[in-house]
Amino acid sequence: MRFVLLGPPGAGKGTQAERLAKKYGIPHIATGDILRQSVKDRTKSGMLAKSYMDRGELVPDQILIGIIRDRLSSLDCSKGSILDGFPRTVTQADALSSILHRLNQKLDGAINLELPEEEVIARLSGRRVCRSCGTNYHTQFNPPKEGGKCDKCGGQLYQRDDDKEEAIQNRLKVYQRQTEPLIKYYKKEGLLISVDGAKEISTVFENLCEIVEGVKK
Ligand code: AP5
């Protein structure tokens, strides 16, 4: 099974994709995580991406399309995947469709996690991420057991540069301008599934599992 997770920044795409991937044993492909790793590794594309990411702008389509083409061609993606953060533009959505077509694969759905703007700001400003394993926490909604430390690996938690107030505002504008049109795009393709992302993490997860189970039948 193959799903795309859509939704504004902070909608819970990463949180839910990680759980779905674990439950259904398929790869979680998060373009934001791949880019942050490239920045950490100081690769050429990572260095180029950093300035866009820090400002809350989208990294150029061709970089992302190349990353996804390589990743989806890997053997571990042959049974399915959860795409988190890709596509984010109509150009990327068109590219995804041709990549999958070439691989003789198809999308089962584009799940849009809906979240009002006030919630986006509250979620992003409280998000903390593990420096070692990348697990997401929230100071209020999903706190670690011990302050500042990851429950899974004991790594140090930090605040992403693009979770600062100014970058959040820009990410929201960029989302509305460049990514929101994908809702219509996937509706037209008959693939759009909307889910209320404002519910509790476990409730959203149950709703997503029902959708996935429906597709598996
Ligand atoms: P990326 O990392 O993908 O950022 P994003 O889309 O803005 O998404 P987020 O990671 O901020 O949010 P999320 O929806 O995953 O929410 P999360 O689960 O973490 O991309 C970063 C940057 O990389 C982009 O700005 C761009 O520059 C670049 N980039 C990436 N992909 C690209 C592409 N395809 N094209 C071009 N550029 C690209 O949750 C957020 C917080 O809320 C957490 O603290 C979590 O614990 C909490 N939370 C989650 N769910 C709930 C809930 N139900 N209730 C309460 N709290 C919750």
Side-chain angles (χ1 to χ4, degrees):
M1 82 212 173
R2 239 161 243 101
F3 286 95
V4 157
L5 287 188
L6 299 174
K13 302 180 292 295
T15 303
Q16 299 297 339
E18 189 192 335
R19 286 163 194 238
L20 288 171
K22 194 169 166 202
K23 174 160 178 166
Y24 295 103
I26 51 174
H28 165 201
I29 305 175
T31 43
D33 291 348
I34 295 172
L35 290 169
R36 279 183 289 279
Q37 187 60 47
S38 308
V39 172
K40 212 168 155 189
D41 296 342
R42 304 184 71 81
T43 66
K44 201 172 150 204
S45 55
M47 290 299 96
L48 177 68
K50 187 174 180 350
S51 60
Y52 291 94
M53 295 171 80
D54 286 349
R55 282 180 279 128
E57 297 288 335
L58 293 187
V59 175
D61 284 334
Q62 287 321 311
I63 296 184
L64 272 300
I65 292 169
I67 291 174
I68 288 297
R69 187 184 301 118
D70 292 349
R71 187 65 190 90
L72 289 180
S73 309
S74 315
L75 198 60
D76 67 330
C77 292
S78 59
K79 292 222 171 62
S81 52
I82 306 282
L83 282 173
D84 154 18
F86 186 97
R88 257 183 157 98
T89 63
V90 168
T91 305
Q92 293 181 15
D94 286 338
L96 176 62
S97 157
S98 3
I99 293 167
L100 291 176
H101 181 73
R102 268 200 306 276
L103 293 168
N104 211 11
Q105 296 173 355
K106 68 170 187 61
L107 261 192
D108 293 304
I111 301 174
N112 184 35
L113 291 176
E114 297 174 327
L115 192 71
E117 198 171 311
E118 325 76 78
E119 266 301 301
V120 166
I121 296 166
R123 285 200 190 170
L124 294 183
S125 49
R127 172 166 52 190
R128 298 295 179 269
V129 184
C130 174
R131 233 180 245 295
S132 309
C133 70
T135 301
N136 276 320
Y137 295 90
H138 191 282
T139 47
Q140 189 188 343
F141 309 133
N142 182 24
K145 291 193 186 93
E146 206 183 315
K149 264 194 184 176
C150 177
D151 294 347
K152 288 190 186 157
C153 73
Q156 189 196 15
L157 304 187
Y158 78 105
Q159 184 175 34
R160 278 170 39 177
D161 285 339
D162 62 348
D163 280 347
K164 311 262 161 76
E165 179 71 23
E166 207 182 288
I168 294 177
Q169 295 296 349
N170 198 35
R171 281 162 73 194
L172 269 168
K173 284 193 199 130
V174 168
Y175 168 75
Q176 282 153 2
R177 202 172 54 233
Q178 292 178 268
T179 308
E180 219 167 40
L182 292 181
I183 296 174
K184 265 197 188 150
Y185 179 103
Y186 282 115
K187 194 169 184 184
K188 210 167 142 201
E189 301 268 311
L191 288 171
L192 186 75
I193 305 160
S194 294
V195 168
D196 183 358
K199 300 232 169 83
E200 275 186 19
I201 293 177
S202 55
T203 310
V204 177
F205 184 59
E206 277 167 29
N207 294 342
L208 293 177
C209 291
E210 278 167 25
I211 292 166
V212 171
E213 299 294 334
V215 162
K216 276 172 68 193
K217 271 177 201 158

